[in-house]
Amino acid sequence: MQKPYDLINAMEYLNAYRPRGTLHAMIIGSHINAVAVAEICRQRHIPFTNTLDPDLYAYFSARLNTKLDWPRSLLLFMKAALRPICYMYWLFAFLYLFLRLRSVRYDLVLFDAWRSKCLYISALPPGTSFVIVDGGFSTLHYGLCAAFDRGGAEELVRVALQKQRPVMPLVLRWLAAQRCSNKTPFFTCYQDQISASCRHPVLANEYRYCSATLGEKTVRPGVMILGIPMLKHIDIYIERALDAQTEAGIDRDVKTIEYRFHPTDRHRANIDPSYCFAIEQGVAERGLNFSYPQFSLEIDFLQQREVPAIIVAYPSSSLRWIEEVLQSRVRIITMMER
């Protein structure tokens, strides 16, 4: 697991298909999302193990992406120079995990087809059973529903790893895909994107656990913008939020709109104070209030007593979750600018 959404999917699967099962979370990395998963596990008394993140490229890229005042050409050069080093690190990490995990036994492993998790899958001993779950909006962005429909779990993993940049070494992609079979199920909230004639096992994620846990929330008459990293399209989103206030009979006032930073912004702001200052200043000078996710939108909404009546956001897995769990209690205005 690398983010709170992974934990939600795992709890949803257990609630729907393994109600007597127990969960052990393997948390990959030490970044802010991984720290959030560990804290949620502590709160919910879920045992967990921290382990290394084999994605060296993602680690350094996250730091380079905070350098807003660096020349773009320099950033691109540094990222290009990192690739061969990180490519070799993937092979080293696989060998390390292969030796470390060869005596580990799990009844069932839940994972999404992101490269860090797939490396762990490829290193697990033979005989392990798997279930693929959604990794977020990348399920649609990478066309993984169509891939599963076409060739099952093996094709889904192959397509996902082929589209992620930088790609893992070919041998590791092959090993990860080979761990799946025609019987490996896909637990997804996007089951409507898979044909009814699909010959591979599809398990619907209807977020029943979250719906039961959420209970009745107080819906406050406010507007929240779910931001894009680096304040992308912020002025377009503000204008639409103001229009939404008018449509809802709320006073048109930018000061009452809450701008919720994207988790990527939270991560970068935690790494680099100058990045934090830049994005907070950009929001403040437009007159907006702002907030950072404590854990993730889903977990935060589960723990908060109030939710906004209107949410302005780009298409994402979080919006799908809101649609399923909160349904008509919250109005969602979907923006196509990403």
Side-chain angles (χ1 to χ4, degrees):
M1 296 183 179
Q2 290 182 295
K3 56 187 183 298
Y5 184 70
D6 298 336
L7 189 59
I8 281 182
N9 278 339
M11 292 189 294
E12 287 289 350
Y13 176 83
L14 287 182
N15 182 70
Y17 297 101
R18 296 285 185 98
R20 296 184 180 179
T22 57
L23 178 66
H24 184 99
M26 180 178 285
I27 302 174
I28 301 174
S30 57
H31 51 79
I32 194 167
N33 281 333
V35 171
V37 175
E39 179 57 31
I40 298 164
C41 286
R42 292 188 190 97
Q43 292 179 5
R44 296 174 179 266
H45 307 291
I46 298 171
F48 66 91
T49 300
N50 283 109
T51 189
L52 66 86
D53 188 347
D55 197 341
L56 199 63
Y57 183 86
Y59 175 84
F60 284 111
S61 289
R63 282 150 179 77
L64 291 174
N65 288 336
T66 66
K67 309 304 180 184
L68 301 179
D69 55 343
W70 286 22
R72 178 173 172 77
S73 57
L74 175 60
L75 293 174
L76 291 175
F77 173 79
M78 294 181 70
K79 288 181 180 180
L82 276 171
R83 290 200 175 199
I85 299 171
C86 297
Y87 193 87
M88 295 303 298
Y89 189 76
W90 278 114
L91 299 172
F92 168 78
F94 170 77
L95 180 60
Y96 169 80
L97 290 171
F98 178 78
L99 296 173
R100 180 184 173 190
L101 300 176
R102 59 184 175 177
S103 61
V104 173
R105 293 291 184 272
Y106 295 110
D107 294 327
L108 184 69
V109 175
L110 308 175
F111 76 102
D112 66 82
W114 192 253
R115 53 185 184 249
S116 297
K117 298 160 190 174
C118 285
L119 183 71
Y120 277 84
I121 295 308
S122 65
L124 283 171
T128 307
S129 297
F130 302 104
V131 172
I132 299 180
V133 300
D134 290 317
F137 194 69
S138 60
T139 300
L140 297 184
H141 181 64
Y142 291 148
L144 301 188
C145 290
F148 187 81
D149 206 342
R150 185 170 62 248
E154 183 177 343
E155 178 71 0
L156 185 155
V157 171
R158 188 189 66 79
V159 169
L161 294 179
Q162 199 171 39
K163 292 189 175 182
Q164 293 168 35
R165 295 292 183 268
V167 295
M168 287 170 59
L170 178 60
V171 64
L172 299 183
R173 285 183 279 144
W174 180 84
L175 285 171
Q178 289 298 306
R179 300 310 307 276
C180 302
S181 72
N182 289 333
K183 295 182 179 180
T184 302
F186 183 25
F187 181 60
T188 175
C189 66
Y190 300 109
Q191 63 272 7
D192 57 334
Q193 302 293 316
I194 301 175
S195 68
S197 60
C198 178
R199 56 189 176 86
H200 307 288
V202 179
L203 305 178
N205 182 359
E206 298 176 341
Y207 294 120
R208 291 182 180 177
Y209 174 80
C210 286
S211 297
T213 304
L214 196 67
E216 290 297 324
K217 295 288 182 181
T218 301
V219 179
R220 55 180 172 83
V223 181
M224 174 184 286
I225 295 174
L226 301 185
I228 305 176
M230 297 177 63
L231 311 185
K232 187 177 180 182
H233 302 308
I234 184 173
D235 294 316
I236 297 174
Y237 277 47
I238 292 172
E239 190 61 33
R240 188 63 189 92
L242 290 170
D243 291 343
Q245 286 180 327
T246 301
E247 294 163 7
I250 305 172
D251 290 340
R252 192 179 176 94
D253 185 0
V254 72
K255 294 180 181 178
T256 63
I257 298 172
E258 179 184 356
Y259 186 91
R260 182 183 175 90
F261 284 114
H262 191 278
T264 298
D265 280 329
R266 178 192 60 178
H267 181 43
R268 293 175 181 174
N270 188 62
I271 293 171
D272 191 331
S274 63
Y275 183 91
C276 177
F277 175 78
I279 60 172
E280 290 186 3
Q281 184 182 43
V283 173
E285 67 187 13
R286 290 172 169 85
L288 298 166
N289 293 309
F290 63 82
S291 65
Y292 287 97
Q294 181 182 3
F295 298 119
S296 70
L297 179 78
E298 297 88 353
I299 296 292
D300 290 353
F301 271 29
L302 285 172
Q303 298 189 159
Q304 292 169 0
R305 293 184 177 181
E306 294 186 339
V307 294
I310 302 169
I311 295 176
V312 180
Y314 59 89
S316 68
S317 57
S318 293
L319 286 199
R320 182 70 176 222
W321 183 86
I322 293 171
E323 290 170 349
E324 295 291 335
V325 176
L326 290 171
Q327 298 182 4
S328 60
R329 284 180 283 173
V330 171
R331 179 188 173 198
I332 299 173
I333 298 174
T334 305
M335 304 290 288
M336 301 314 296
E337 293 82 0
R338 285 179 61 90

